[in-house]
Amino acid sequence: MSGATGSDVAFRVAEQLRAPAPWEVIGERTRKFELHLQGTEIELERGPIAIEGYGIRLFRPRGNVLGTGFQASSDLSAEGISTATSVAETIARHAEFPAKSVDLPGGQARPSDVAIVDRSLWADPTRVVREYVDALLAAFHGRSNAVPSFGSVKATLSEYSLANSSGLKVQFPSTHVELEVAVKAFGGPEGAPPGEYWVTEGSRRLEPKKLPGDVEAWCRYAADVRRAVAPPTGEQAVVLPSEVLAGILPSVLGGRFTGAARLRHIAPEVGSVVGGELATVRDEGDYAWGSGSAPFDDEGAPRGRHPLIEKGTVAGLLYDSLYASALSERSTASAVRSAAGPSGEFRFAHPPGPGVTTLVVAPSNGGSDQELYETAGDGILVTQLGWAYPDPISGTFGGEIRIGYRIRGGKVAEPVRGGTVGGTVLAPKGAPSLLANLEAVGSTATLSGHVATPMVVVRPLSVAGA
Amino acid sequence: MASLEEREGDVAGAVRRLARTAAFAEAMAEAGSGETVRLDTKSTSLSARPRLQGVVFRVWTGKRWAEASTSHLAGPELSAAVEHLEGEVAHGGGTAPPPGLSTTTKGSWATHPKRPLHDLGSDGTIALAKEARDWAKAVPDIVEVQVRLSWEEEERLYLNSAGARCHERTLRTHAAVVPIAMENGNPAFDYWSHGGVGGLETVPPLDEPAMRQAAENSRALLHAKAPPSGEMEVLLDDTVAGLFAHESFGHGTEADQFVRDRSYLKPLLGSTVGPEFLSIADDGTVPGGWGSIYCDDEGHPGQKTMLVDHGRFVGALHDRETASLLGAKATGSTRRSDFLSRAFVRMTNTYVEPGDRSVEELIADVQDGVLLEHGTSGIEDPLGGQMQLKVRKGHRIEHGRLTDLVGGMALSGKVLDFLRSTRGVAKGKVGAIDPGFCGKGHGDYLHVGTGGVHLLSRAIVGLA
């Protein structure tokens, strides 16, 4: 894999760990390389941005409860490991989790073979990021009415390792890239103010060959912003592409379809109806190039595929080892480490909890994008929402339309911008929701970060505008 | 793990070494400590802030800035970062001086809390959280209560080759209570969240009346009506007005957007953009404010900057580079999320200053509209001048009276249209600065505060 390996940080820490079982260590070595653009010039070059650290988790049974203690550190000295262990022990004495024990994964399972490493990026990150930026700028060459006003390309190369007191020793690498570009359209005889299409994308690899087509579309959206008006108010058919659904589904399904939600009485019952016949959603931790995909979960268990919703009916929930133990279930290898805020992007800095990885909405017989517009008839295509801000507890979402289009007579018509679109992702049987009101699901899925889904038609959703 | 001050010699030596070849070099070293207690009806968990430290170096190559970061404050990894930047300077290809003025600020600052949360210890903090949980849980229909109490002390050391040395320890305390009500499988919740720079004195008492009220607020949302849709009169409460200030004139006045020619506000600097009774400020010196800072990450002291003064757009937020390019002064607004993140022009505490109307008068002025309450989030549009604000709930206003409770909404509109339609700003004091996190793009999150007073205008609202 072009020299891509996992870090041995966890193994080094585990060798020095002086703590009784059960315990678990995650190690991480991450390097980042960034180029920041101002216009078509490189404004700032950052890197290597290097961090190496580990997290120790201890489990201490006390009668009917389990005390869990976690401490992360970047201090790899013997004294640093001893201090981190001591802090974790102290925390475990205070913590209470409703399980008597924990069944950590052992080291024998075979991992899934999932593509999550951009090999050329791993081999020479500085050169590959520069070449990608060159290709990005080249795609704007010759355009007289659109430029990038700023942007950045950030490449993250991570090596993970996991060890535990059950004999687990696994390691794996991954790459992640973030692209941000603000495309400004201007000029023309109409004298309209400039328009902007703001691109923010996360993926596992850099794909410069896609840039000419992508830039063409971004410039078109930026130009259409200049003549767009607010959509009409009312309940109407709304067409949502994968980019928009990727901003809605992970938060809500991740908040409600887990053992953590079940323990706290906010998960739907398995077997209950939360959507229409067209709503089938799986969590696929081994989906190629998915932002949430990996060969192992964040406790070291091999990732797999788990049905969440089957034809509108709840088919399963996601568990890590701790919540599986509390609820007498088996782990679904769904341990995820992440958090918002400073250092949130580093796995080693957080204890795991059950969560979604890469969500896959099953394609159906809705056909091509054009056929979906024809199904919608008259409605709104939402190309980009300002931010859906989905609420993981209530399941509501909504945001401002940054760019979209009226659909008239089954065809994409004039652009719309401003106003809001929103609703509820899932609701009990009989109540309106995004999943209950799916009228058509396209035939081909597109991967957008953590979600692979076809375009869908929802009828109706609430639109507020002029 | 050696402290930052113990490693200062290594970091200062690295800056001196970089300055031998670079026209300017600086470093920001960072460490921290803290504890969070999370508690609900099923579990109690504690987490200590990761024992991380690290440093970011920035040099001027003669053509542009270059940065490198490492989580090692000494040893070969530190040397590798320095050597990489020396290579960048050697191949920088330019001889231009660094933009703007280099600070020479020297000082040391620390938060001195009146009631440190950590004085309670883990047991005391857990006991406080349990008491709050039990009061909220006693309210009918409440199926779950999540309580989170935390403190964190962030230590930063800024050094540059011009001689600046800023050392600061900033302590923030935060408390949040989320009672979840459930009826027929439908969850609903409101939440109680307060915090600031300091100790428990920045948080209202977590007493029985406050916790019961928080739970009753969640319960009431079980029966909230659907919000209205379309363009109408909107009365923003103080929390939503704070979000408005942040998303409209906060992000729009970050002067790096001016340099990128990406701000709809740039050509309006100096002009009247709103009514005479409207003023908006960004202030990094608000005592106890969640977004308050002692020094920014270029060594400029925190300060208050008027953005809109009695309707006139008068100021922008600057770092050394934008100040240099636009003929202004740096405003103490250069901030990094952490040692792994770049420095940007950022806000601190942004708020709407008081006007001259009572809240009752503003409500009485509305024939058919909605009061937006409990702002939760927003997003800016620096070039297009749109804004999106989201709220947990609101009340219809009909014929000058508050009527039905309605559920979550999003507000959408053009900032300049919104300002032209603004009919009143409430008098009184700027209330609590609400704690929040702000990203630049979809990353680089850091602590910011928002606040203000009620504000009456017109916009599109819809279900969200």
Side-chain angles (χ1 to χ4, degrees):
Chain A
M1 202 180 276
S2 301
T5 63
S7 149
D8 66 350
V9 171
F11 309 155
R12 284 190 276 148
V13 172
E15 282 172 12
Q16 299 182 66
L17 195 64
R18 302 288 175 263
W23 53 261
E24 165 203 83
V25 181
I26 181 170
E28 179 174 350
R29 178 172 179 264
T30 285
R31 294 169 294 146
K32 296 183 74 173
F33 300 85
E34 303 177 0
L35 282 181
H36 295 252
L37 294 170
Q38 182 155 297
T40 55
E41 299 291 322
I42 293 174
E43 172 193 30
L44 171 67
E45 184 164 357
R46 307 189 71 236
I49 302 158
I51 187 165
E52 197 170 43
Y54 59 93
I56 298 171
R57 188 164 59 142
L58 308 176
F59 307 86
R60 299 294 175 252
R62 287 198 312 274
N64 288 328
V65 298
L66 195 63
T68 62
F70 177 84
Q71 176 66 62
S73 176
S74 59
D75 187 347
L76 285 153
S77 69
E79 183 190 353
I81 294 168
S82 173
T83 302
T85 307
S86 171
V87 173
E89 288 282 13
T90 302
I91 289 173
R93 278 198 293 276
H94 288 91
E96 292 180 359
F97 187 80
K100 292 181 181 175
S101 62
V102 62
D103 185 17
L104 294 172
Q108 304 306 315
R110 189 171 178 275
S112 60
D113 183 18
V114 52
I116 56 168
V117 178
D118 181 329
R119 296 179 188 201
S120 60
L121 178 65
W122 192 280
D124 192 349
T126 305
R127 178 182 60 80
V128 171
V129 170
R130 277 180 183 272
E131 287 177 356
Y132 185 83
V133 168
D134 289 344
L136 174 67
L137 295 176
F140 282 97
H141 284 166
R143 294 180 187 276
S144 59
N145 57 1
V147 292
S149 56
F150 84 101
S152 64
V153 178
K154 302 177 181 179
T156 302
L157 286 59
S158 298
E159 302 163 81
Y160 300 105
S161 52
L162 283 143
N164 67 29
S165 53
S166 295
L168 177 88
K169 276 184 89 172
V170 297
Q171 54 188 150
F172 65 94
S174 75
T175 53
H176 184 74
V177 294
E178 295 166 70
L179 170 66
E180 180 177 15
V181 190
V183 180
K184 182 167 73 172
F186 55 92
E190 68 273 28
E196 180 180 274
Y197 183 70
W198 182 35
V199 182
T200 56
E201 294 178 355
S203 62
R204 289 289 192 188
R205 55 182 168 167
L206 289 170
E207 297 181 274
K209 287 181 180 169
K210 285 178 58 187
L211 281 170
D214 287 347
V215 168
E216 178 69 33
W218 302 340
C219 291
R220 188 171 67 248
Y221 297 146
D224 286 343
V225 161
R226 305 180 70 197
R227 60 190 181 98
V229 297
T233 297
E235 303 276 307
Q236 48 199 295
V238 175
V239 179
L240 301 175
S242 65
E243 293 85 351
V244 172
L245 291 168
I248 297 171
L249 297 179
S251 287
V252 175
L253 299 190
R256 300 286 293 280
F257 281 68
T258 66
R262 180 180 157 194
L263 190 67
R264 293 168 178 90
H265 312 295
I266 56 173
E269 293 276 340
V270 172
S272 64
V273 175
V274 294
E277 281 280 315
L278 291 173
T280 293
V281 185
R282 294 186 299 272
D283 184 78
E284 297 194 7
D286 59 353
Y287 195 93
W289 304 112
S291 289
S293 300
F296 301 98
D297 79 345
D298 284 340
E299 289 177 333
R303 282 211 190 278
R305 302 176 182 188
H306 304 284
L308 299 178
I309 301 169
E310 190 71 34
K311 295 184 177 179
T313 300
V314 177
L317 304 178
L318 302 171
Y319 298 92
D320 65 355
S321 63
L322 207 52
Y323 281 92
S325 178
L327 295 160
S328 301
E329 299 279 355
R330 291 172 63 87
S331 168
T332 55
S334 300
V336 173
R337 299 175 193 255
S338 66
S343 73
E345 63 189 296
F346 300 105
R347 285 179 171 172
F348 77 89
H350 309 283
V356 296
T357 59
T358 301
L359 291 174
V360 179
V361 177
S364 187
N365 57 1
S368 65
D369 292 356
Q370 180 54 47
E371 287 172 299
L372 292 167
Y373 304 145
E374 288 166 9
T375 299
D378 293 304
I380 304 287
L381 163 65
V382 179
T383 303
Q384 187 180 56
L385 271 184
W387 205 340
Y389 285 111
D391 177 342
I393 296 175
S394 68
T396 57
F397 73 95
E400 184 182 62
I401 300 170
R402 284 294 159 97
I403 183 69
Y405 296 86
R406 292 289 293 272
I407 298 174
R408 294 180 188 270
K411 296 189 183 324
V412 173
E414 71 273 20
V416 295
R417 173 177 165 82
T420 67
V421 60
T424 304
V425 173
L426 63 158
K429 190 175 183 178
S433 72
L434 189 154
L435 294 179
N437 296 0
L438 281 177
E439 183 174 80
V441 175
S443 302
T444 309
T446 301
L447 177 65
S448 294
H450 289 261
V451 176
T453 177
M455 185 180 272
V456 302
V457 180
V458 186
R459 189 192 307 268
L461 268 184
S462 175
V463 177
Chain B
M1 183 179 277
S3 71
L4 282 193
E5 284 175 303
E6 286 173 316
R7 291 295 187 203
E8 181 171 347
D10 295 277
V11 176
V15 171
R16 282 196 299 275
R17 181 174 150 185
L18 287 166
R20 283 185 211 135
T21 51
F24 176 78
E26 66 185 358
M28 192 282 282
E30 184 191 16
S33 58
E35 184 177 81
T36 299
V37 167
R38 288 185 182 83
L39 186 144
D40 55 31
T41 61
K42 301 295 181 188
S43 66
T44 300
S45 70
L46 283 80
S47 58
R49 182 177 159 131
R51 299 182 70 245
L52 302 184
Q53 55 179 211
V55 59
V56 53
F57 296 101
R58 182 168 76 155
V59 296
W60 178 252
T61 67
K63 189 176 178 183
R64 60 175 176 247
W65 295 105
E67 295 188 355
S69 306
T70 173
S71 54
H72 297 266
L73 293 179
E77 293 86 356
L78 185 77
S79 297
V82 171
E83 284 163 17
H84 174 81
L85 290 178
E86 286 175 329
E88 290 290 317
V89 173
H91 300 100
T95 55
L101 300 174
S102 304
T103 55
T104 56
T105 312
K106 287 186 171 62
S108 190
W109 300 266
T111 308
H112 299 289
K114 292 177 183 164
R115 295 173 53 214
L117 179 59
H118 51 75
D119 276 4
L120 296 181
S122 299
D123 287 330
T125 307
I126 290 170
L128 180 63
K130 281 184 175 171
E131 203 169 42
R133 176 197 64 189
D134 292 344
W135 281 323
K137 183 70 174 65
V139 170
D141 298 328
I142 300 297
V143 296
E144 183 56 274
V145 181
Q146 298 170 353
V147 182
R148 183 182 187 276
L149 301 175
S150 67
W151 65 270
E152 60 174 3
E153 186 174 68
E154 186 177 64
E155 181 183 8
R156 289 193 174 195
L157 174 66
Y158 173 83
L159 304 170
N160 72 21
S161 55
R165 179 188 183 279
C166 303
H167 179 249
E168 55 190 320
R169 289 176 181 273
T170 307
L171 176 73
R172 288 185 174 86
T173 300
H174 183 248
V177 180
V178 185
I180 301 171
M182 183 80 83
E183 188 177 77
N184 299 327
N186 270 326
F189 75 97
D190 201 348
Y191 64 87
W192 183 100
S193 169
H194 298 278
V197 170
L200 275 171
E201 72 276 8
T202 66
V203 175
L206 285 94
D207 55 19
E208 184 171 3
M211 296 303 100
R212 287 190 69 89
Q213 186 58 56
E216 291 289 1
N217 290 346
S218 292
R219 188 181 181 214
L221 283 172
L222 287 171
H223 304 288
K225 295 193 172 174
S229 279
E231 185 178 334
M232 64 192 67
E233 290 193 287
V234 292
L235 179 58
L236 315 186
D237 79 359
D238 53 345
T239 68
V240 189
L243 284 178
F244 156 72
H246 178 99
E247 302 299 349
S248 60
F249 274 87
H251 283 293
T253 61
E254 291 169 338
D256 49 351
Q257 309 289 19
F258 287 20
V259 173
R260 295 165 172 167
D261 214 11
R262 193 190 174 230
S263 174
Y264 71 101
L265 288 172
K266 182 180 175 183
L268 300 175
L269 190 58
S271 9
T272 296
V273 293
E276 197 275 340
F277 51 79
L278 177 67
S279 294
I280 299 174
D282 182 84
D283 189 351
T285 67
V286 174
W290 180 253
S292 293
I293 58 171
Y294 300 107
C295 238
D296 75 2
D297 290 320
E298 283 181 336
H300 307 103
Q303 68 172 60
K304 178 176 180 178
T305 305
M306 289 306 298
L307 304 176
V308 176
D309 192 359
H310 292 89
R312 203 162 71 87
F313 172 32
V314 295
L317 302 175
H318 289 282
D319 63 9
R320 62 179 288 171
E321 184 161 358
T322 65
S324 161
L325 292 169
L326 299 169
K329 289 183 178 176
T331 53
S333 307
T334 311
R335 301 182 67 189
R336 296 180 188 271
S337 297
D338 50 42
F339 72 93
L340 300 156
S341 306
R342 70 167 291 184
F344 277 119
V345 182
R346 307 297 295 269
M347 284 171 268
T348 55
N349 303 296
T350 316
Y351 53 86
V352 174
E353 296 214 320
D356 57 0
R357 309 276 305 277
S358 71
V359 175
E360 293 73 21
E361 287 172 346
L362 295 175
I363 293 170
D365 254 11
V366 178
Q367 282 304 299
D368 183 14
V370 64
L371 168 65
L372 288 95
E373 300 166 83
H374 204 162
T376 58
S377 58
I379 188 165
E380 82 284 14
D381 176 15
L383 182 66
Q386 295 268 147
M387 63 175 171
Q388 168 189 313
L389 309 175
K390 287 191 73 169
V391 303
R392 281 228 63 79
K393 61 182 181 181
H395 280 83
R396 286 300 309 269
I397 308 177
E398 295 166 297
H399 308 298
R401 290 180 54 246
L402 290 180
T403 58
D404 296 330
L405 174 69
V406 296
M409 289 167 278
L411 175 152
S412 162
K414 281 188 174 294
V415 172
L416 294 178
D417 291 346
F418 187 88
L419 291 174
R420 274 191 283 273
S421 301
T422 299
R423 292 203 287 126
V425 174
K427 58 188 175 186
K429 286 183 176 178
V430 173
I433 293 292
D434 293 314
F437 288 91
C438 168
K440 187 114 169 174
H442 280 217
D444 291 296
Y445 287 91
L446 46 70
H447 302 88
V448 295
T450 55
V453 288
H454 284 60
L455 184 153
L456 176 61
S457 187
R458 188 173 184 83
I460 293 171
V461 295
L463 175 70

